[in-house]
Amino acid sequence: MDLELVLSAAALIGLAVLIPALMLVTAIFGPRAKGKIKDEAYESGIGATIGVVDQKFSVKFYLLAILFLIFDIEAVFMYPWAVSVRELGWFGFIEMVVFMLFLFTGLIYILQKGVLNWR
Amino acid sequence: MMKTLFSADGLVGLLFLFNLIVTVVGGIVACNAERLVRAVIGLVVCFVGVAGIYFFLNSPFIAMMHILIYIGAVAVAISFAIMLAAPEEKMRTGPTSPLSGPIGLISTLLLISGLVSLALKTEWTSVTKINDGSVKTIGIQLLTNHSMVFELISIVLLLAILGALVIARGGREE
């Protein structure tokens, strides 16, 4: 069988076993000192903010995440074109341009509406 | 022929098992986490395992899509959704009656035994492959035989942009 495949699989499995094993060993045998102040979420400056849930985030964050998701999908569909660009030639290029023009229209709409303006 | 663990096939099988374990552990973490953010992390771990399973199913494009879209973008979107909603951490729904545990266990066992017996009784026939399923083949197919679908994807994405803006910015007057 393929020696490279065997070696790379062995390396991956070795890492997958070794890293959790080391974490487990340090968790069991490692020294630790607990304390009231030490266990707080934030040690210096801001005090423990656990339990404060009435702070509101702007919907802009979520909008940005959704827009990132959409343009991420666009990028994913560029990979198959990119690896076969020689075979497809100009026809594929024009198709890709049309594909991106549609999304460019969306980008212009986003910019026009000022979604990306952070005041 | 009996396959040993120390051949290429054996190691690949071990990797597959590792993938399965990652998927299941991630799913368990996602279902049982006390905090929602930890549940999202469990979901991400589960997605990594699922992407590996897609890779073993000979579709590297789907595996790559899964990593880029689900782990990269959907997890971020879910995290922002949790930030926005700021749900009560203590509102965890537990079992409502003492019978729900045993009944759930029995129905799970019934489902698993049914699926296992179905999998064992079915005569599996291997379907002839249309192509090798590589990213290159998918690219050529997508931009020649299925070019209309490819262009429609961009229209769907454009509509998603418009829909996201309309819903998130609805009710504001400018």
Side-chain angles (χ1 to χ4, degrees), chain B residues 64-80:
Chain B
M64 186 197 70
M65 254 180 137
H66 211 267
I67 290 173
L68 269 175
I69 295 173
Y70 280 85
I71 301 170
V74 170
V76 175
I78 294 172
S79 310
F80 279 140

Side-chain angles (χ1 to χ4, degrees), chain A residues 1 6 16 57-58 61-63 65 69 72 76-77 79-80 84 87-88 91 95-96 98-99 102 106 109 113 115, chain B residues 8 11 18 61 65 68 72-73 77 80 83-84 136 139-140 143-144 147 150-151 153-154 158 162 164-165 168-169:
Chain A
M1 264 297 193
V6 175
F57 287 90
S58 171
F61 288 102
Y62 192 66
L63 211 49
L69 176 61
D72 203 30
V76 162
F77 279 104
Y79 284 109
S84 58
E87 284 82 352
L88 290 164
F91 178 66
E95 269 182 306
M96 204 63 213
V98 173
F99 181 85
F102 275 114
Y109 182 69
K113 286 285 173 184
V115 177
Chain B
L11 284 173
F18 179 69
F61 181 63
M65 254 180 137
L68 269 175
F80 279 140
M83 278 166 64
L84 277 173
K136 191 166 191 162
I140 291 169
L143 278 99
T144 53
S147 55
F150 182 70
E151 299 303 344
I153 288 167
S154 68
L158 178 64
L162 299 183
L165 287 197
R169 294 164 65 87

